[in-house]
Amino acid sequence: MQVNIILNGTKVTAEAAPDTLLIDFVRAHGCYSVKRGCETSNCGLCTVFLDDVPVLSCSVLAARADGHRVTTLEGLQEEAAEFGAFIADQGAEQCGFCNPGFIMNALALFREKEYPTEEEIKEYLAGNLCRCSGYEGQLRGIQNFLAWKKAKQEGAE
């Protein structure tokens, strides 16, 4: 079957088997930030935005994305780089494998809630698996990013 999507702002049309997962489709088109981790929809490593809503691409058929916008970390480089520096500063990207999914979900959180509480951050990011860090560095990175963003915003006013 033919699948037509807007992938990171570019129209992509390609043949795909009916059982092709979205993760395989986007990786076949060069989006290597989207990773396999658990194969059970539990780790968050394969998170993409489908029409600006975070979804686990290992649980979505490519055919379901037909006619929709799909955004991966490759399509959010500027937005992600600003936030990612705060995660790196806390040493929370030890091996880096979980970073793309973690950053995608954090960006989704920031879009939903401009200044989330610590509890909201923990709740929103509960589905992201990191085998290296214990999550404290990521939490500190998010909190530092939000404090910086707030100070920057207040300085501009």
Side-chain angles (χ1 to χ4, degrees):
M1 71 179 304
Q2 194 172 65
V3 175
N4 299 287
I5 65 171
I6 304 298
L7 181 58
N8 296 324
T10 302
K11 185 175 181 179
V12 173
T13 300
E15 287 296 318
D19 63 347
T20 299
L21 294 172
L22 186 56
I23 186 174
D24 297 318
F25 189 88
V26 298
R27 285 185 62 84
H29 290 88
C31 299
Y32 301 118
S33 70
V34 185
K35 299 177 183 174
R36 277 197 157 73
C38 65
E39 299 285 343
T40 59
S41 304
N42 287 307
C43 71
L45 294 175
C46 67
T47 301
V48 300
F49 291 165
L50 182 60
D51 292 333
D52 295 322
V53 176
V55 299
L56 299 171
S57 63
C58 74
S59 298
V60 176
L61 293 172
R64 299 284 290 181
D66 186 48
H68 295 274
R69 288 177 292 115
V70 176
T71 308
T72 68
L73 191 58
E74 286 85 354
L76 299 170
Q77 287 299 300
E78 191 174 313
E79 188 177 357
E82 189 174 66
F83 167 65
F86 285 85
I87 298 300
D89 185 54
Q90 293 299 315
E93 45 34 318
Q94 290 178 18
C95 81
F97 195 70
C98 69
N99 278 5
F102 182 80
I103 290 173
M104 291 295 289
N105 280 298
L107 294 177
L109 169 64
F110 301 151
R111 289 174 177 190
E112 188 175 316
K113 298 178 180 277
E114 188 173 11
Y115 295 105
T117 66
E118 182 174 326
E119 204 52 46
E120 289 171 328
I121 294 167
K122 288 179 178 179
E123 182 179 315
Y124 205 93
L125 301 177
N128 287 274
L129 177 65
C130 176
R131 296 178 183 182
C132 298
S133 73
Y135 306 100
E136 288 303 313
Q138 285 100 333
L139 180 59
R140 283 192 311 271
I142 288 173
Q143 290 169 328
N144 290 347
F145 171 74
L146 292 172
W148 170 81
K149 182 177 157 187
K150 191 171 196 171
K152 182 178 164 184
Q153 187 177 32
E154 289 171 355
E157 293 174 355

